[in-house]
């Protein structure tokens, strides 16, 4: 009878240093730059491999492509053409990658996704503060140890008696939710002058979406893009977002953002606007009023009016300006002063850090 036959076991590469993971990190960046075009991203990856020798004799780009399909990151679209498309698994992986890259070492919270505040109220977690029982307090808040001790002190230990005045309860930490709208400029200037500004903007929005989904799942996040007009997109659409031949209708974006936030019941509301240029467009009826040659008084006046409306609604607007022109900075300063919001003049590398800092700061505001 033939026994077991053993051969040398060569384990596959695992972890962040495996060839697949190395190529996949690059591939995800390329997917964002190509607006989710899998075929174009693979072509770019092949070109990078030719120039920089990313693969070796044992693992090539073809092996990587096969692994992408086996692991469920890409698939063929149903139809005659059989176009390669990303799967939901790939979209989720891109969000997580953006979160890790931009927001660093943030970890998932065990608190269920609420924001801590300095106020006491009806939250999920008990604090260390104890107070007298009040009408409306729930039974699970009662501190039995303190209450029984009060009963013994007040009535003696002979005949046990527990009265309402003996009861003490443990305070709960109040938590709140935040409604956030991110406005992304998709005007043509976002890819002018040989600089890709739309990819970092998409990456920041993806990271913020993943942060809210994992750490603050009770918050809401809505994404708006604005060019000649403004419209809402889903988070899953972000990797596929492209710049168009548009002007910058900031007014339309703010109006849509305000409409969305008016429907939110939470007290904390905020708008993040990522742009690189000045407002250059208004819609009047069915016609567009455009002026790309400077700060048009008519357009600026309407934009500042909306900034004031946001302030009256207690909605701060944080502007992330990817430009350094002095006259544009002056416009943003005026806009920020009217809204009582914030403004950052960021390069593309520092954009994510600014967004995170302001998100963490704003979510503690306006709790009354």
């Amino acid at each position: 009878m033939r026994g077991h036959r053993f051969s040398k076991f060569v384990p596959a590469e695992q972890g962040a240093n495996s060839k697949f993971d190395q190529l996949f990190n690059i591939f995800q960046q390329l997917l964002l730059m190509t607006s989710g075009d899998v075929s174009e991203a693979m072509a770019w990856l092949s070109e990078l491999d030719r120039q920089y020798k990313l693969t070796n004799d044992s693992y090539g780009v073809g092996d990587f492509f096969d692994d992408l399909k086996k692991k469920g990151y890409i698939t063929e679209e149903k139809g005659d053409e059989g176009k390669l498309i990303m799967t939901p698994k790939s979209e989720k992986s891109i969000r997580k990658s953006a979160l890790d890259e931009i927001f660093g070492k943030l970890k998932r919270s065990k608190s269920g996704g609420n924001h801590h505040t300095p106020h006491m109220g009806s939250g999920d977690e008990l604090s260390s503060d104890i107070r007298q029982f009040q009408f409306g307090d729930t039974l699970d808040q009662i501190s039995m140890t303190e209450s029984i001790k009060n009963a013994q002190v007040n009535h003696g230990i002979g005949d046990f008696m527990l009265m309402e005045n003996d009861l003490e309860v443990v305070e709960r930490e109040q938590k709140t939710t935040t409604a956030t709208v991110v406005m992304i400029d998709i005007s043509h200037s976002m890819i002018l002058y040989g600089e890709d500004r739309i990819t970092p903007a998409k990456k920041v929005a993806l990271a913020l979406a993943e942060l809210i989904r994992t750490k603050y799942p009770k918050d809401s996040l809505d994404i708006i893009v604005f060019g000649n007009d403004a419209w809402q997109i889903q988070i899953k659409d972000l990797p596929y977002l492209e710049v168009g031949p548009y002007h910058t209708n900031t007014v339309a974006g703010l109006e849509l953002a305000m409409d969305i936030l008016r429907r939110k019941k939470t007290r904390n509301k905020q708008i993040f606007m990522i742009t690189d240029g000045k407002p250059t467009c208004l819609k009047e009826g069915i016609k567009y009023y455009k002026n790309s040659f400077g700060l048009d008084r008519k357009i600026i006046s309407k934009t500042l009016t909306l900034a004031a409306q946001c302030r009256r609604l207690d909605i701060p607007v944080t502007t992330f300006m990817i430009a350094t022109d002095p006259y544009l900075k002056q416009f943003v300063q005026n806009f920020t002063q009217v809204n009582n919001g914030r403004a950052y003049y960021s390069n593309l590398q520092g954009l994510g850090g600014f967004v995170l800092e302001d998100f963490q700061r704003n979510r503690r505001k306006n709790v009354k």
Side-chain angles (χ1 to χ4, degrees):
M1 178 179 178
R2 179 176 296 179
H4 296 286
R5 178 174 296 175
F6 296 94
S7 60
K8 184 178 180 180
F9 174 68
V10 181
E13 287 183 291
Q14 299 291 334
N17 293 325
S18 71
K19 261 313 167 200
F20 175 83
D21 289 332
Q22 292 173 8
L23 294 175
F24 189 58
N25 288 336
I26 299 172
F27 183 66
Q28 289 181 114
Q29 303 291 333
L30 295 176
L31 283 174
L32 282 179
M33 297 175 68
T34 60
S35 299
D37 191 323
V38 175
S39 298
E40 186 177 359
M42 285 301 303
W44 285 18
L45 183 64
S46 297
E47 180 61 24
L48 289 173
D49 179 46
R50 187 185 66 81
Q51 293 185 31
Y52 301 103
K53 296 180 175 57
L54 303 177
T55 62
N56 51 39
D57 294 339
S58 60
Y59 192 88
V61 174
D63 297 314
F64 172 71
F65 180 73
D66 291 338
D67 284 344
L68 284 175
K69 292 192 290 186
K70 290 177 183 177
K71 295 176 183 290
Y73 288 109
I74 62 173
T75 186
E76 290 188 2
E77 190 175 26
K78 294 181 180 179
D80 297 334
E81 297 181 1
K83 180 182 177 182
L84 291 170
I85 58 173
M86 288 192 296
T87 64
K89 180 180 180 180
S90 185
E91 294 168 357
K92 181 179 180 180
S93 178
I94 289 176
R95 291 197 304 269
K96 186 178 183 304
S97 174
L99 176 65
D100 293 340
E101 177 183 344
I102 292 177
F103 293 162
K105 298 180 180 179
L106 286 174
K107 297 180 180 179
R108 185 177 180 131
S109 170
K110 296 180 180 179
S111 62
N114 295 323
H115 303 291
H116 291 274
T117 75
H119 306 275
M120 294 299 170
S122 56
D124 294 333
E125 293 185 359
L126 298 176
S127 73
S128 59
D129 297 331
I130 297 178
R131 60 169 173 80
Q132 282 291 116
F133 176 84
Q134 298 175 358
F135 178 78
D137 290 333
T138 59
L139 292 177
D140 62 326
Q141 286 183 259
I142 295 176
S143 173
M144 296 306 299
T145 302
E146 295 297 327
S147 300
I148 292 174
K149 183 177 72 174
N150 291 340
Q152 291 176 339
V153 170
N154 296 333
H155 311 295
I157 59 175
D159 295 324
F160 179 75
M161 183 183 298
L162 183 66
M163 306 297 290
E164 181 180 341
N165 291 338
D166 302 325
L167 297 177
E168 292 193 359
V169 298
V170 181
E171 283 278 25
R172 291 185 181 274
E173 293 182 353
Q174 185 185 27
K175 296 178 182 179
T176 186
T177 58
T178 300
T180 303
V181 173
V182 176
M183 295 172 50
I184 301 177
D185 185 352
I186 58 169
S187 62
H188 187 58
S189 60
M190 291 290 278
I191 55 171
L192 281 181
Y193 316 116
E195 187 173 47
D196 178 10
R197 296 167 175 173
I198 189 63
T199 297
K202 290 192 292 185
K203 192 178 296 184
V204 167
L206 285 164
L208 191 59
E210 188 66 10
L211 172 68
I212 289 175
R213 284 188 170 190
T214 55
K215 193 171 177 64
Y216 308 111
K218 293 183 181 180
D219 283 11
S220 67
L221 174 65
D222 296 277
I223 311 293
I224 287 176
V225 294
F226 62 103
N228 290 347
D229 297 287
W231 61 95
Q232 191 173 359
I233 65 172
Q234 301 298 316
I235 293 173
K236 64 181 180 64
D237 300 326
L238 274 169
Y240 309 98
L241 190 61
E242 294 182 280
V243 169
Y246 306 126
H247 289 72
T248 307
N249 192 344
T250 308
V251 168
L254 290 172
E255 288 176 338
L256 180 56
M258 291 166 63
D259 287 341
I260 292 172
L261 291 176
R262 282 192 188 100
R263 298 193 292 267
K264 306 294 183 181
K265 295 181 180 180
T266 181
R267 188 182 294 271
N268 289 354
K269 302 175 182 181
Q270 59 187 352
I271 297 174
F272 290 163
M273 179 167 62
I274 303 173
T275 182
D276 74 329
K278 57 188 178 293
T280 59
C281 179
L282 281 177
K283 191 171 185 180
E284 299 177 325
I286 61 173
K287 295 183 178 180
Y288 293 95
Y289 175 82
K290 303 175 183 178
N291 183 359
S292 302
F293 303 104
L295 292 175
D296 188 285
R297 186 185 301 274
K298 183 176 181 179
I299 298 175
I300 297 304
S301 176
K302 180 64 174 176
T303 306
L304 295 179
T305 298
L306 286 180
Q309 288 183 17
C310 286
R311 180 175 182 173
R312 287 194 293 271
L313 292 172
D314 210 7
I315 301 175
V317 181
T318 304
T319 305
F320 300 93
M321 194 71 173
I322 315 173
T324 56
D325 307 71
Y327 78 103
L328 292 180
K329 282 188 175 182
Q330 183 61 50
F331 158 71
V332 173
Q333 288 172 2
N334 294 339
F335 180 90
T336 303
Q337 183 177 6
V338 171
N339 174 256
N340 197 27
R342 291 189 181 87
Y344 296 99
Y345 307 95
S346 171
N347 57 30
L348 298 179
Q349 288 71 36
L351 182 60
F354 283 135
V355 172
L356 173 62
E357 177 185 352
D358 214 72
F359 174 76
Q360 299 280 17
R361 181 183 301 167
N362 279 354
R363 66 187 174 85
R364 298 187 179 93
K365 292 183 61 179
N366 305 327
V367 182
K368 300 176 182 177

